[in-house]
Amino acid sequence: MERELLVYIDGEYRPKSRAKVSVYDHGLLYGDGVFEGIRAYDGVVFRLKEHIDRLYRSASVIMLSIPLTKEEMINAVLETLRKNHLRDAYIRLLVTRGVGDLGLDPRKCKKPTVIIITDVIRLHSGEAKENGIRTMLVWVKRDPVDATSHEVKSLNYMNSILAKIEANIADLDEAICLDKNGHISEGVAENVFIVQKGKIITPPTSTGALVGITRDVAMKLAEKLGYKAVESNITPTDLFTADEAFFTGTAAEIVPIVEVNKRVIGNGDPGPITRRLMQEFEKVVRDPKEGAPIYQ
Ligand code: PMP
């Protein structure tokens, strides 16, 4: 029989089938908590420090005090991977407000719950990456920066789920959200980019988009390849008429977008700059200098 994966919960390692938390945990009752999605490639956790820094930044905004130091958290992630003998993995790290009562007051929750799941994830198939994906702008506006902004990576994903449902019922691969001003914000769990006359553009976080770690990697790779990469507002017209478009995200990696609301992007195939970035991305994620080694 295959060995069950072990899940870290508050310092203990439990088999996946018995990895459970209380129904009174406010992570479940209210989506009160923060999380990170991280990947390991070939024995190295890509940009682990950046993910941990973002987790603690998100926690500080919601006034959640994480009961581990950053160093202890890094060690817990690496140890969970080692316990599961993983070299390539998707890591889901959550810190919830913890167990409280049925009211939403976070003061009732005395101890945050820390969970580390190490498993696999496959969002878009190899075929989607090869041929590009079909998307649509949906009616669901991105949560604004003066509300449950996705600048904070909180457990509240209803905004993304509503958008995803629209893509599902239209039989499309992914949804793209606008902000309340009508500018492009992001996908449901991906940042979005367009290429316009050789310039690479992504929306600013004032649209409510997450400061994506893959977004940052893509911008740095673009600059390294000699392209200008900037943050700027993108209108639906800019997107429809872009030369190229793509998503970035830890789970999604870099995925070409070839259709938005039935408008064909470029010539309908993944564009040359997107392909270059995808190739460079494949290299950088496997560079041992770009992350934390699991096995010393
Ligand atoms: N936006 C949202 C809302 C997300 O959930 C994610 C996935 N973490 C991203 C963008 C992409 O961010 P990253 O590249 O850091 O994974």
Side-chain angles (χ1 to χ4, degrees):
M1 206 178 82
E2 214 178 299
R3 232 166 51 97
E4 261 195 280
L5 283 170
L6 295 173
V7 178
Y8 172 108
I9 305 180
D10 292 334
E12 286 178 21
Y13 294 92
R14 313 227 186 105
K16 182 173 169 176
S17 60
R18 284 189 282 125
K20 296 181 177 163
V21 294
S22 166
V23 292
Y24 286 84
D25 193 303
H26 280 209
L28 174 68
L29 289 175
Y30 294 108
D32 185 357
V34 291
F35 79 101
E36 281 297 318
I38 313 166
R39 264 189 199 261
Y41 296 88
D42 230 351
V44 178
V45 185
F46 185 59
R47 294 270 191 277
L48 179 57
K49 185 180 175 301
E50 287 82 348
H51 281 282
I52 299 293
D53 284 345
R54 188 171 66 184
L55 179 79
Y56 281 73
R57 270 204 311 277
S58 295
S60 78
V61 178
I62 69 161
M63 301 190 81
L64 172 65
S65 170
I66 299 180
L68 275 72
T69 63
K70 284 187 184 180
E71 206 181 313
E72 287 168 339
M73 190 63 94
I74 285 173
N75 287 334
V77 169
L78 297 174
E79 185 57 20
T80 309
L81 288 160
R82 284 193 288 263
K83 284 223 184 297
N84 288 308
H85 309 287
L86 290 167
R87 292 181 62 79
D88 291 273
Y90 178 78
I91 302 144
R92 177 57 59 87
L93 171 52
L94 295 86
V95 185
T96 78
R97 191 76 65 179
V99 173
D101 64 16
L102 291 180
L104 63 72
D105 190 342
R107 288 176 301 189
K108 301 284 174 60
C109 307
K110 297 300 176 206
K111 194 168 105 2
T113 307
V114 180
I115 301 169
I116 305 169
I117 308 169
T118 53
D119 208 325
V120 290
I121 195 166
R122 187 158 268 276
L123 276 202
H124 300 294
S125 63
E127 197 185 328
K129 289 208 170 137
E130 193 50 41
N131 301 330
I133 60 170
R134 296 164 60 227
T135 67
M136 70 187 289
L137 298 171
V138 295
W139 63 265
V140 188
K141 295 286 169 287
R142 201 61 173 152
D143 289 325
V145 289
D146 52 355
T148 42
S149 173
H150 289 264
E151 295 162 283
V152 170
K153 204 160 163 52
S154 85
L155 294 176
N156 276 274
Y157 261 58
M158 190 48 70
N159 184 244
S160 287
I161 291 162
L162 284 176
K164 183 73 186 172
I165 286 170
E166 291 305 305
N168 289 350
I169 59 186
D171 202 20
L172 293 169
D173 301 305
E174 201 55 283
I176 300 175
C177 293
L178 302 174
D179 70 7
K180 65 180 177 194
N181 299 315
H183 293 127
I184 308 295
S185 177
E186 60 177 348
V188 301
E190 306 91 0
N191 290 107
V192 67
F193 284 78
I194 62 168
V195 180
Q196 221 178 35
K197 297 194 180 74
K199 194 156 105 184
I200 289 153
I201 310 170
T202 193
T205 56
S206 56
T207 61
L210 178 75
V211 193
I213 288 169
T214 320
R215 170 184 185 268
D216 182 58
V217 173
M219 289 178 89
K220 291 208 170 97
L221 288 178
E223 298 271 359
K224 211 181 91 188
L225 293 174
Y227 300 107
K228 208 165 155 24
V230 297
E231 276 185 27
S232 178
N233 275 323
I234 298 171
T235 65
T237 300
D238 292 332
L239 178 57
F240 293 148
T241 59
D243 301 325
E244 303 180 29
F246 59 91
F247 278 135
T248 64
T250 297
E253 302 177 305
I254 299 181
V255 188
I257 298 170
V258 294
E259 186 187 301
V260 184
N261 296 65
K262 300 276 184 214
R263 277 76 164 179
V264 172
I265 305 299
N267 64 5
D269 288 325
I273 295 178
T274 307
R275 282 193 188 284
R276 273 306 300 281
L277 286 172
M278 290 169 78
Q279 283 162 5
E280 291 301 312
F281 184 76
E282 283 292 311
K283 284 188 225 157
V284 76
V285 293
R286 285 176 179 78
D287 182 345
K289 292 191 299 297
E290 300 289 341
I294 305 170
Y295 305 95
Q296 294 296 341

